Amino acid sequence: MTTPVCKGASTAAVAPPPSPLPTPSSRPVRTSFPSFAAYVRDRGPALLRAARSLSANPNDAEDLLQTALAKTFVAWERIEDHRALDGYVRRALVNTRTSQWRKRKIEEYACDELPEPGLVPSADPAERQVLRDAMWRAVLRLPDRQRAMVVLRYYEDLSEAQTAEVMEVSVGTVKSAVSRALAKLREDPDLARAS
């Protein structure tokens, strides 16, 4: 007769049946922690400030916070220590912002030649002053009424109706007088030489 080396070997071969997994309705309910809505209501402004520190645009910061809160809501039942919820949400904010930053679309591409146009030479200030003086001399040669209307329309930047009101004439009179004045300015020989 042989004796077994391990007395419990014969009973160990038969394992007890596994305990059934808890169903969602049989999970313990945490009544000592605040609800998710209460947490968001209490800590929302502080979390929004944290999100705004991660994004320059306030609208993007709100979207970032909503995404982080959605992730927190999904994990609400798995979070063991509800005293550390702020840290969890802040980490979700940072991780979400980092993911957005990594997924951003880059609009710049390397190329052989620079796409910027060459520098456009600016007009000589002396030449601009000569043109400005010639323009004023040409305007001074206009009849008084036409000169007043041109100055009101183009130097004072009034509309045709405003010019008509100031001059106490009709809008049609302003249109025809300004049109004739501009035709005279186009034909002015001094102004043509300066330009």
Side-chain angles (χ1 to χ4, degrees):
M1 182 177 186
T2 61
T3 55
V5 178
C6 179
K7 292 183 179 179
S10 61
T11 59
V14 179
S19 61
L21 294 174
T23 60
S25 61
S26 66
R27 287 185 189 157
V29 177
R30 295 181 182 156
T31 57
S32 62
F33 301 118
S35 70
F36 181 76
Y39 171 73
V40 171
R41 191 173 34 255
D42 293 343
R43 300 297 301 153
L47 295 172
L48 183 58
R49 283 192 300 274
R52 284 188 177 158
S53 69
L54 295 172
S55 179
N57 186 342
N59 297 327
D60 291 342
E62 290 175 4
D63 291 344
L64 180 65
L65 178 60
Q66 288 298 320
T67 304
L69 288 175
K71 291 178 180 180
T72 304
F73 180 74
V74 170
W76 186 257
E77 294 296 322
R78 294 186 313 239
I79 298 173
E80 296 290 328
D81 186 9
H82 278 227
R83 292 173 296 174
L85 281 172
D86 283 356
Y88 185 91
V89 174
R90 284 191 178 102
R91 174 50 50 193
L93 283 169
V94 170
N95 290 347
T96 303
R97 182 66 182 127
T98 303
S99 294
Q100 290 172 348
W101 179 79
R102 286 180 179 155
K103 291 178 185 176
R104 77 187 189 287
K105 185 177 180 182
I106 298 175
E107 298 290 333
E108 297 178 11
Y109 302 99
C111 59
D112 293 333
E113 295 180 19
L114 293 176
E116 293 85 15
L119 293 175
V120 178
S122 61
D124 183 17
E127 291 177 7
R128 281 187 285 157
Q129 187 62 43
V130 167
L131 181 60
R132 193 173 296 126
D133 291 343
M135 174 63 77
W136 270 114
R137 284 192 304 271
V139 168
L140 289 174
R141 285 191 289 272
L142 292 173
D144 292 339
R145 189 170 172 172
Q146 288 180 359
R147 182 181 339 125
M149 290 184 190
V150 167
V151 168
L152 289 173
R153 280 287 290 130
Y154 297 105
Y155 286 98
E156 296 296 325
D157 201 26
L158 296 181
S159 67
E160 290 171 343
Q162 291 169 330
T163 303
E165 184 179 332
V166 170
M167 297 291 295
E168 297 178 351
V169 294
S170 69
V171 175
T173 303
V174 171
K175 288 181 181 181
S176 62
V178 168
S179 175
R180 284 192 302 272
L182 292 177
K184 287 181 183 179
L185 290 174
R186 285 187 202 102
E187 296 170 358
D188 189 277
D190 293 338
L191 190 55
R193 276 192 300 272
S195 62

